[in-house]
Amino acid sequence: MSVSVLTSQTEHCIDSKMAQARLACLLTLLSTHCYFSVLSVVLKTNNISPWTDEFDKIELSCLIESISTSNPRIEWKKITDGGPSYVYFDKKISGDLENRAVIREPATLVITNATRSDTAKYRCEVTAADDQKSFDEIVIDLVVRVKPVVPKCSVPKSVPFGKPAELSCLEEEGFPKSQYQWFKNREEIPDDPKTSLKFFNSSYVLNAETGTMKFLAVRKEDAGEYFCRAKNDAGYSECLPQMMEVYDVDLLGILLGVMVVVIVLLCITVGICCAYKRGYFSSPKQAGNNYKVPAKGDGVDYVRTEDEGDFRHKSSFVI
């Protein structure tokens, strides 16, 4: 047998032993992984950030991917700024979700009638006493969208030509927070007036966050019916249209009116002064106090009796 043949057989034998060793190692790793997987509780969810509209149904999925314990302990907690609170404990729905939620096996929480107060983080916790890794949890962030209510709109009824004006729109029930749109004569007003031929000459500033519309100087073309729409992902609501008029300022009329008022006030003042001078405002004196005692003559005394105005001689004349 040649040396080359012996060398080839030796290499083949070595390669076979190495392949067997690799296979054995791979089988060992797989068995170890499977062993620890079977002895570990592992959770997953189909949606970590679900959302729903108010009064609709929503599922917070909590799926047990692997577990060995036959009867694990399952708990759900609602996490708010005030801290966590139980919504499912000891196989009972409690707290905010009582009578509004159920558990669908094995651990999914189903809210049958979601309200705006349900917007929060929820934590699913599973404890498996017989598993190597006996505890796992998953946090789900729920958002309940709320349709806006009819906004409160304020539109000035009349504005002088060339003067500033402000329109306001506000509602505070919608979630997420509402965005605002303004309409004139049923047509949406663009954010930038220069992008529309109908509003090109207008000078205003729109704020979709606060709902205000401010005219820097109103023009005749700005007169019309205005209404506002509050909207978010859950829907929208509108206020009733309100009319805004633009009028010219009559400077001549204002000047004449001021002059008339000044003349009237002047006449009243002069009349009062004349009345004072003529004594129309002096109080009358009582008649009994108007008598004057006559000057005494030589040798004559006058005495006043109880009867007002009756005088008699006290002594006779002296000759």
Side-chain angles (χ1 to χ4, degrees):
M1 185 177 295
S2 64
V3 177
S4 60
V5 173
L6 290 174
T7 303
S8 176
Q9 290 179 350
T10 302
E11 291 177 352
H12 177 72
C13 182
I14 292 173
D15 291 340
S16 298
K17 289 181 179 181
M18 291 180 64
Q20 291 176 359
R22 290 174 182 171
L23 180 60
C25 181
L26 180 60
L27 291 174
T28 301
L29 291 174
L30 288 174
S31 62
T32 303
H33 175 75
C34 292
Y35 173 77
F36 281 106
S37 296
V38 169
L39 295 182
S40 299
V41 56
V42 178
L43 304 180
K44 71 174 185 178
T45 182
N46 292 333
N47 190 354
I48 200 169
S49 299
W51 60 266
T52 186
D53 292 333
E54 192 173 28
F55 309 125
D56 285 351
K57 179 180 177 181
I58 186 66
E59 294 184 358
L60 309 185
S61 66
C62 182
L63 308 176
I64 301 177
E65 198 169 35
S66 67
I67 196 170
S68 297
T69 302
S70 58
N71 189 23
R73 186 179 70 190
I74 300 172
E75 297 174 352
W76 275 92
K77 294 177 182 177
K78 181 180 180 179
I79 305 171
T80 60
D81 293 337
S85 59
Y86 282 105
V87 293
Y88 181 73
F89 177 74
D90 196 19
K91 299 184 179 181
K92 294 180 182 179
I93 300 292
S94 61
D96 296 341
L97 298 182
E98 189 173 3
N99 301 322
R100 293 194 298 115
V102 294
I103 289 292
R104 191 177 66 192
E105 296 294 339
T108 295
L109 180 66
V110 181
I111 302 176
T112 57
N113 183 21
T115 65
R116 63 190 68 189
S117 62
D118 296 332
T119 296
K121 295 182 183 294
Y122 293 82
R123 187 166 65 212
C124 175
E125 301 177 357
V126 175
T127 303
D130 298 335
D131 285 58
Q132 184 77 18
K133 179 191 172 189
S134 61
F135 178 82
D136 198 12
E137 65 180 25
I138 192 166
V139 177
I140 297 174
D141 191 3
L142 171 64
V143 173
V144 179
R145 305 186 308 187
V146 181
K147 179 183 175 180
V149 298
V150 176
K152 296 179 181 179
C153 301
S154 176
V155 178
K157 293 183 179 180
S158 58
V159 183
F161 177 83
K163 297 295 183 179
E166 181 173 340
L167 287 67
S168 64
C169 179
L170 181 65
E171 80 83 32
E172 298 178 324
E173 298 294 324
F175 186 84
K177 185 179 178 181
S178 294
Q179 298 286 305
Y180 300 95
Q181 294 174 294
W182 276 98
F183 294 79
K184 176 190 174 187
N185 298 333
R186 311 301 302 180
E187 183 176 353
E188 183 178 355
I189 300 174
D191 294 337
D192 185 359
K194 304 306 178 185
T195 60
S196 171
L197 292 177
K198 289 186 176 181
F199 300 94
F200 188 83
N201 293 325
S202 297
S203 58
Y204 60 80
V205 177
L206 276 175
N207 191 325
E209 299 289 335
T210 62
T212 58
M213 179 179 179
K214 297 181 179 181
F215 286 95
L216 304 180
V218 296
R219 301 169 58 87
K220 285 289 187 179
E221 296 83 357
D222 295 327
E225 280 191 339
Y226 290 84
F227 73 90
C228 169
R229 173 183 294 171
K231 66 175 183 177
N232 63 12
D233 294 336
Y236 68 88
S237 293
E238 299 173 348
C239 63
L240 293 175
Q242 301 179 42
M243 188 69 186
M244 184 179 79
E245 297 180 351
V246 179
Y247 63 90
D248 292 320
V249 178
D250 188 0
L251 296 178
L252 179 60
I254 294 175
L255 182 60
L256 290 176
V258 172
M259 291 178 64
V260 169
V261 172
V262 171
I263 293 173
V264 170
L265 292 176
L266 183 61
C267 292
I268 292 174
T269 304
V270 172
I272 292 174
C273 291
C274 292
Y276 266 112
K277 289 181 178 180
R278 295 183 180 182
Y280 289 114
F281 293 99
S282 60
S283 57
K285 297 181 180 179
Q286 296 181 356
N289 295 329
N290 291 334
Y291 291 107
K292 294 183 179 179
V293 179
K296 292 182 180 181
D298 294 337
V300 180
D301 291 334
Y302 294 92
V303 177
R304 185 174 182 179
T305 64
E306 293 181 357
D307 294 333
E308 191 174 357
D310 185 15
F311 291 88
R312 66 180 180 177
H313 295 290
K314 182 178 180 182
S315 59
S316 58
F317 290 95
V318 178
I319 298 175

